[in-house]
Structures are given as C-alpha cells and as structure tokens.
Amino acid sequence: MKRVPLGICVGFAAVWVTAAASWAGESAPPEPVAETKGLLAEMLKGPIAGTPEIVFAVRHVRGEHWYANFGYWVSNPKGYMYGAPGGRLCRLNLRTGQVTAIFEDPKGGVRDPCVSYDATKILFSYRPGDSTHYHLYEIGADGSGLRQLTDGDFDDIEPIYLPDGDLLFCSSRCNRWVQCWFTQVAILYRSDANGQNARPISANVEQDNTPWVLPDGRILYMRWEYVDRSRVQFHHLWTINPDGTGQMAFYGNMHGGTVMLDAKPIPGTDKVASIFSPGHGQTEHEGAVAVVSPAAGPDARPSARQISPSGRGGDPTMSKWRDVYPISEDCFLVANDGKLFVMDGSGRFEAIYAVPAGRNDLWAHEPRPLAPRPRERLIASRTDWSKATGRLVLADVTQGRNMAGVRPGEIKKLLVLETLPKPVNFSGEMEPISLGGTFTLPRILGTVPVEADGSAYFEAPALRPIFLVALDEHDLSVKRMQSFVSVMPGETTSCVGCHEA
C-alpha cells in the first residue's frame, strides 16, 4: 500500500455535470414537453384537493453562485449580494387564481416562507428597505401581527418550524467566509420560538443550506465540504438531529458533482424530492427536479431519478426549475423564473402563476401549501451544554470502504485534525493556502492510540470540524479522512471503521 507523508495534499479535478440523470447514472431525463393544460384541474381533484391556497415569495435575484444571495462582496462592503429592492409575500388561490399580498416592501426583500403546522402563521426571512441584513419574521396568514424575531449584524435565512415549537435556520452569525470565494457563510442554528437563545448545531466551515424536517424528526439539509478534495463537487444531502447530534450522510457524498438543494420528504414514502443544480450550482438553486430514494444506501447513484423535462429541445427554462415542494409522488409545486408550476411524476407541468407583465426583473420563489400538516416525530436531545467536549468511538479501523490491503494491527494511532474556518477575507483575490493545493487550513489537535482489536476512543472539543488520519508505526498515513465529523457538547457518537481514499 502506498503511504504518503503527512501534509502532502492530493489535487482533485472538478467534474462538471449537466443533469441529475447523468449524475445518478440513470437513463436520459424526460424529453421537453409542451405545457399540459388541465393538469392543475387534475391535481385539484386528487393530490391537492385539500390545498385551496399556496404561499410564495416574489423578489429580485442576483446572478452569482447559488449560495451568494446574502451579505456583501469581500472587497466592497456596499456590494450587497441580494437583488434589487422589491419583495412581497403572497397567497394564491389555486381554484380562482386570485393573488393576495400578505406583506410587501417595495424597498426590501422577502424570502424563504415556511407555513406553521396549523397554517395560521408564516415564518420568513425579510430584509427591510432600510437594512442590509435578512432576519427572521413571523406574520399571520391573513397578513396580521407581523413581528421581528431575530436581529443583529448578520443574516438569518431559510427558517423552518421544528415540531417542538423551536425554530431552525441558517445564519451568517458564525462569522465565516467561503474559503474559495468572496462571500459569507451561513450554517445551521436553532433558537426558541421567539428567535432568542440561538445556538449553532453545525461546525461546518462552508455552507449549510435549505434545511427541512423529515417525518422521523431528523433535519435534512445540504452540506458543502471540501476536506482535502475538490472544492466544487461535494454539496450533497446530510441529516442531523434537531439538537445537532447524529450527523450522517443521507445521499451523494461519495460522488462528485451536482449541488443538491431544497430537499423535502415526499409524504407517504421514504423518498425525498430535491433540486439537482448542475456542476457547482446555478443562480438561485436552478436545476432539475429529482426524486431520491435512500433505500439502497447513501452511495447508490441510481437511487436518484430526474423527473423534470430536460432542456434538449432548445428551451433553456427547462433546466431552471427551483424550490420544489412535494405534495405526493405525483404532485410537486415548483418555480421557474417568474412563474410557479404544478408538475407530476412524469414531468408534465402547468403554470399556475406568473409575475405581472413587464416585471421580468422579478422571480417567483418557494411555493408552499397553505394547509395544516402533521408534526414530525420528536427526538430527545442528547446534548449537555455544561460540557465542552463530546466522545467518539471507532469500532475497527480496518473495516470500511477502500480498506483492501490494510492488515490488522498495521494502524497504530489516529492523527486528529481540525479544519479551520476562514473568519476574515482581506481582498478580492482568491488564492489557495498551499501551492496548487487546498483552500482549507488544518490544525493538529493530537493523536489517539489504536487498540490491538482496531478500536479507538477519544474526547474531542465540541462543535469543531475534525477529521482523522490513520498512521502506521512510522507515523505515515495509511488512510486519510476526506470529510469531517463533529460532536455536540456531551454527545457520544460512533463509527464502524475507516473509509474514504
């Protein structure tokens, strides 16, 4: 087995993937089809019969990376990354087509609505016209009782209600910059129902994005990472408990390419719907609508299936689907430019809303049913915030992926490293930290002995992104972890064995 001295980084070339189907190794996506008139009427007799109205946001967009839609550009504190002024929160009656503005600010921005479990309130992110930051607000579904929940010199976006009444959202209050770009980072935070007592539940040094609650109570979200591997390929689906414990890959993290965003569970199934944004991702999460089944495990590429029609017929909008919301396996709400659509499981679609004529600068976003929904399962917390550490248990370092040739007893210790966040950015230049190598900077935390049976145990500082290197008797690397793990205060977590390249 080839060993490499510590500190040598291997470069990984980016692979730019253009469709969900090609990423997943599936057959070709559905051919472009004409808009199916009457599809909404079919849906109103079936999957959305109990959904008379939907809620959605309207706002301007900005043509940067999928994540660069809040905060400011590093070399220009007034170079704000959100779109031009003008935003509103609306209700649409699916039967009459009537649109009602719940809330509007012609000088501000509105995004990320989430309907409460009883459908009486809407949680959303709002940037008032006199502010440069998005914060969390709540309003009655009838437009009454607007109240601000969070505040500060940072941005709070993509909020959701938790089944116990608390809130979960992404926030730039972590004070981090994208290590390979010029904009800020937002990671997962949790607060009480009033937006107070916010605490991080993620240690990511790059973006977390678009969280949503699964029926079993876990949080499904997109996690971007690049620990000693490509900075443009790994933005896939993960789960985490609402208290930050039990982080786990859900789908895709062993395969490069495609940003998996806006994933949500499909009711009555174990599947999720997601937007697969090609390559390193497109503006405002544009891409293909895909359905993912976790039944075959997190690395089974054929488990993803594109359902939206492709753009091969010459219509570029066919690769610009966004903000999918599954009602059933055969009914999805989805956005595309300035329109909202219903789409079925075979890719047929019909427009249900369009921004007024002459307002091509505005896009419709985030359609959500305005209807009661069941609360998900509650998961008891496993944290103890009086503690500064958590515990990790490794069962057998010789077990796992890509471990052929590793002999029992060959690995003597684990080198524990932390990948460090980038808390400041000084200019509009973008250079890797090492010559032609990584954009991340690791710090050595220590070493841990591996027992004769291949097991290891250690305590680690909580909420720190750590990764491991398996060392032989000469302190040379046998295997190097190319992802990160973290523990919450008081958490005990474990893994079967070693893996990665």
Side-chain angles (χ1 to χ4, degrees):
M1 175 178 295
K2 181 179 179 181
R3 291 165 169 76
V4 293
L6 295 176
I8 295 180
C9 298
V10 180
F12 293 85
V15 177
W16 293 84
V17 182
T18 58
S22 60
W23 184 91
E26 290 278 317
S27 57
E31 288 283 358
V33 294
E35 184 173 346
T36 304
K37 298 299 182 181
L39 183 61
L40 175 60
E42 289 182 29
M43 299 294 190
L44 287 170
K45 295 176 182 177
I48 54 176
T51 306
E53 291 185 291
I54 64 171
V55 170
F56 64 97
V58 176
R59 65 178 179 274
H60 295 261
V61 297
R62 174 129 188 172
E64 302 291 344
H65 289 317
W66 56 270
Y67 54 84
N69 52 22
F70 66 90
Y72 64 94
W73 189 260
V74 61
S75 59
N76 181 8
K78 294 186 177 180
Y80 303 120
M81 303 311 298
Y82 45 79
R88 59 182 180 269
L89 186 64
C90 300
R91 297 169 61 158
L92 168 66
N93 188 302
L94 294 175
R95 288 175 170 80
T96 67
Q98 179 180 355
V99 178
T100 303
I102 300 172
F103 176 77
E104 186 169 10
D105 184 346
K107 296 183 179 180
V110 174
R111 54 178 293 174
D112 312 322
C114 181
V115 177
S116 65
Y117 290 98
D118 62 3
T120 64
K121 296 177 291 185
I122 301 166
L123 177 68
F124 65 107
S125 189
Y126 166 49
R127 180 186 57 79
D130 59 354
S131 173
T132 60
H133 294 293
Y134 280 97
H135 290 296
L136 304 190
Y137 287 73
E138 189 177 58
I139 195 170
D142 60 358
S144 65
L146 177 70
R147 66 184 186 122
Q148 184 173 352
L149 304 180
T150 62
D151 196 7
D153 191 22
F154 40 73
D155 292 88
D156 299 324
I157 59 174
E158 299 173 344
I160 57 173
Y161 290 102
L162 293 176
D164 66 356
D166 281 1
L167 310 178
L168 190 142
F169 53 97
C170 298
S171 179
S172 67
R173 64 182 72 201
C174 60
N175 190 34
R176 294 167 190 175
W177 289 81
V178 177
Q179 305 205 35
C180 62
W181 195 238
F182 311 109
T183 55
Q184 291 155 295
V185 163
I187 63 171
L188 296 177
Y189 277 76
R190 176 178 175 152
S191 74
D192 63 26
N194 294 313
Q196 304 304 301
N197 302 310
R199 284 176 168 171
I201 65 167
S202 168
N204 201 355
V205 300
E206 294 296 347
Q207 307 281 353
D208 298 325
N209 205 263
T210 54
W212 205 262
V213 187
L214 291 169
D216 64 9
R218 293 176 298 159
I219 308 301
L220 178 67
Y221 69 107
M222 186 235 68
R223 175 168 121 173
W224 180 16
E225 60 172 40
Y226 44 92
V227 177
D228 288 348
R229 57 180 178 171
S230 171
R231 64 192 181 276
V232 296
Q233 290 196 66
F234 296 93
H235 342 62
H236 299 133
L237 299 180
W238 287 71
T239 60
I240 194 170
N241 292 334
D243 65 348
T245 62
Q247 60 186 268
M248 189 71 61
F250 183 83
Y251 184 72
N253 196 50
M254 282 294 291
H255 306 294
T258 303
V259 186
M260 300 176 184
L261 296 157
D262 295 297
K264 298 175 181 61
I266 300 175
T269 77
D270 65 348
K271 302 173 183 176
V272 303
S274 179
I275 296 296
F276 279 24
S277 193
H280 191 40
Q282 298 182 161
T283 299
E284 291 289 339
H285 305 181
E286 292 177 332
V289 180
V291 171
V292 176
S293 172
D299 304 325
R301 294 178 65 141
S303 295
R305 176 177 63 90
Q306 180 175 331
I307 65 168
S308 59
S310 73
R312 289 176 294 154
D315 184 354
T317 63
M318 292 299 97
S319 60
K320 298 176 68 175
W321 303 102
R322 293 178 286 106
D323 305 330
V324 63
Y325 192 106
I327 306 296
S328 73
E329 275 197 276
D330 201 40
C331 181
F332 304 86
L333 301 175
V334 65
N336 193 314
D337 280 359
K339 295 182 178 181
L340 300 177
F341 294 82
V342 288
M343 181 180 291
D344 70 9
S346 63
R348 295 189 302 160
F349 59 90
E350 182 179 14
I352 58 176
Y353 168 81
V355 297
R359 297 307 309 269
N360 294 334
D361 56 329
L362 294 174
W363 281 12
H365 295 263
E366 298 115 11
R368 312 280 191 248
L370 186 56
R373 56 193 173 94
R375 292 180 186 266
E376 301 84 4
R377 173 176 171 261
L378 292 175
I379 299 178
S381 177
R382 305 204 313 260
T383 61
D384 180 353
W385 282 86
S386 69
K387 299 184 181 301
T389 63
R391 294 164 296 278
L392 291 100
V393 180
L394 171 64
D396 184 353
V397 73
T398 64
Q399 300 298 312
R401 296 186 291 255
N402 300 323
M403 296 301 290
V406 179
R407 301 182 304 277
E410 183 176 4
I411 296 173
K412 302 299 185 183
K413 65 180 74 169
L414 300 176
L415 178 66
V416 183
L417 300 109
E418 174 186 7
T419 183
L420 296 174
K422 187 178 185 180
V424 64
N425 208 336
F426 291 104
S427 73
E429 298 299 319
M430 181 173 68
E431 296 292 341
I433 291 171
S434 62
L435 181 61
T438 181
F439 279 85
T440 62
L441 183 65
R443 172 167 58 193
I444 295 175
L445 297 182
T447 58
V448 177
V450 173
E451 304 298 329
D453 63 358
S455 66
Y457 164 84
F458 61 98
E459 287 194 43
L463 279 167
R464 306 268 280 276
I466 63 174
F467 63 104
L468 310 175
V469 180
L471 305 179
D472 67 8
E473 61 183 338
H474 303 294
D475 283 348
L476 294 178
S477 171
V478 177
K479 287 290 176 181
R480 189 180 181 101
M481 186 174 173
Q482 291 175 315
S483 184
F484 73 86
V485 66
S486 59
V487 288
M488 294 295 288
E491 178 186 6
T492 298
T493 192
S494 63
C495 59
V496 172
C498 196
H499 58 88
E500 310 297 357

